[in-house]
Amino acid sequence: MDAVMDTLDKHDKKGMFIVLDNCRIHHSQFVTDVITRRGYKPLFMPPYSLFLNPIEECWLKMKKLIRRNPLDERDTLTPHIAKACLQVTVEDCNGWIRHVETYWDRGLEKELCL
């Protein structure tokens, strides 16, 4: 958490929202206090908002790549995961973020009851 906020600090992003999914640890008082104390605002995604979470699209791509080469009885999953990870590109990540941005304003308005 500190490393992320240190990077944000370097780019003068104080006061910005840090978007969190609904993982139980993210809702802890410790996490929200650290974010707030550093000058940021925690913002939780609505439940089941997979379309607002770019990592879900990454997992989808990796699962598709792994399924293309089914395991046999001599295989283990780890090398297949490593190979799939290497096929996730910067362009993929940027595209997934752009996709999320198309939903961002509507999701933020709903969350803040605007």
Side-chain angles (χ1 to χ4, degrees), residues 61-62 65-66 68-69 80-90 92 96:
K61 177 177 181 168
M62 290 176 52
L65 290 167
I66 292 167
R68 280 190 196 148
N69 300 299
H80 289 265
I81 293 170
K83 186 177 176 184
C85 286
L86 292 173
Q87 294 182 61
V88 175
T89 66
V90 170
D92 289 331
W96 298 326

Side-chain angles (χ1 to χ4, degrees), residues 47-81:
Y48 308 113
S49 54
L50 301 178
F51 58 92
L52 291 176
N53 196 350
I55 194 68
E56 297 299 334
E57 292 188 62
C58 180
W59 297 136
L60 181 64
K61 177 177 181 168
M62 290 176 52
K63 285 191 269 187
K64 283 181 182 177
L65 290 167
I66 292 167
R67 286 185 185 128
R68 280 190 196 148
N69 300 299
L71 300 175
D72 63 30
E73 62 276 352
R74 293 166 289 155
D75 270 334
T76 61
L77 188 56
T78 303
H80 289 265
I81 293 170

